[in-house]
Amino acid sequence: MSKLGIFCNPEGEKLHHEWLDSDNFTDLFEAEKEKEEYDDNDDNNSNNNIMEELGDAFNVYDENRDGFIDEMELQKVLLALGLKEAAELENCRKMILAFDQNGDGKIDFAEFVEMI
C-alpha cells in the first residue's frame, strides 16, 4: 500500500493519501520494472548455473570430449560408481538406447539434459 502512497494513520483507523505527482508515479513503475528485470536476471543466472552443472556432469561421462556418451564411456563411469549391471556392455547399450532420441547409438548433450 505504501508504494501506492496510502498509509495507515497510527493515531486512528483512517487512511490518508500522499498524492502521487507525475514524477512519483513514474518512479513507482520504474522501481517495479527494475524489480522484474532483477528477477529475470536471477532466473537466467540460475538457469546458467544449472546448465553449467549439467555440462560438468556430461563431461564426466564424455571422456574423449567428442560431444557424445557411448556405451563404453557409460560403462566406465558406472563401474567406477560400483554398479555391477554395467559390467555387461549390452546393459550399457540398452541404457543408451532408452534415452537416444535420434537413434545414433550415443547420448548427446541435449539427450543427456532430457534424461536428467
Side-chain angles (χ1 to χ4, degrees):
M1 296 294 274
S2 65
K3 285 186 176 182
L4 297 174
I6 301 172
F7 301 90
C8 184
N9 184 341
E11 295 176 5
E13 294 182 14
K14 291 186 176 183
L15 296 177
H16 70 278
H17 297 271
E18 290 181 15
W19 296 106
L20 298 173
D21 62 17
S22 62
D23 288 336
N24 291 345
F25 193 70
T26 302
D27 290 345
L28 175 66
F29 285 102
E30 286 297 319
E32 186 62 29
K33 183 179 173 184
E34 287 174 8
K35 180 187 177 304
E36 287 175 7
E37 288 173 358
Y38 176 80
D39 289 346
D40 287 346
N41 286 337
D42 215 25
D43 289 343
N44 288 339
N45 288 338
S46 180
N47 287 340
N48 288 341
N49 290 342
I50 291 169
M51 292 307 287
E52 187 176 319
E53 288 179 24
L54 287 173
D56 291 343
F58 183 83
N59 288 335
V60 168
Y61 291 88
D62 184 19
E63 186 178 48
N64 65 5
R65 301 293 186 260
D66 65 352
F68 301 98
I69 300 169
D70 63 29
E71 66 265 4
M72 294 185 76
E73 290 171 321
L74 178 62
Q75 182 183 45
K76 187 174 184 175
V77 173
L78 294 180
L79 285 173
L81 292 172
L83 297 173
K84 295 176 185 166
E85 295 84 9
E88 297 290 327
L89 192 58
E90 182 61 28
N91 289 337
C92 294
R93 192 172 292 119
K94 287 177 184 177
M95 290 174 70
I96 286 180
L97 290 176
F99 297 101
D100 179 18
Q101 296 174 353
N102 63 8
D104 65 356
K106 301 178 270 189
I107 300 293
D108 61 30
F109 183 70
E111 293 166 335
F112 183 79
V113 170
E114 286 296 315
M115 179 179 70
I116 298 298

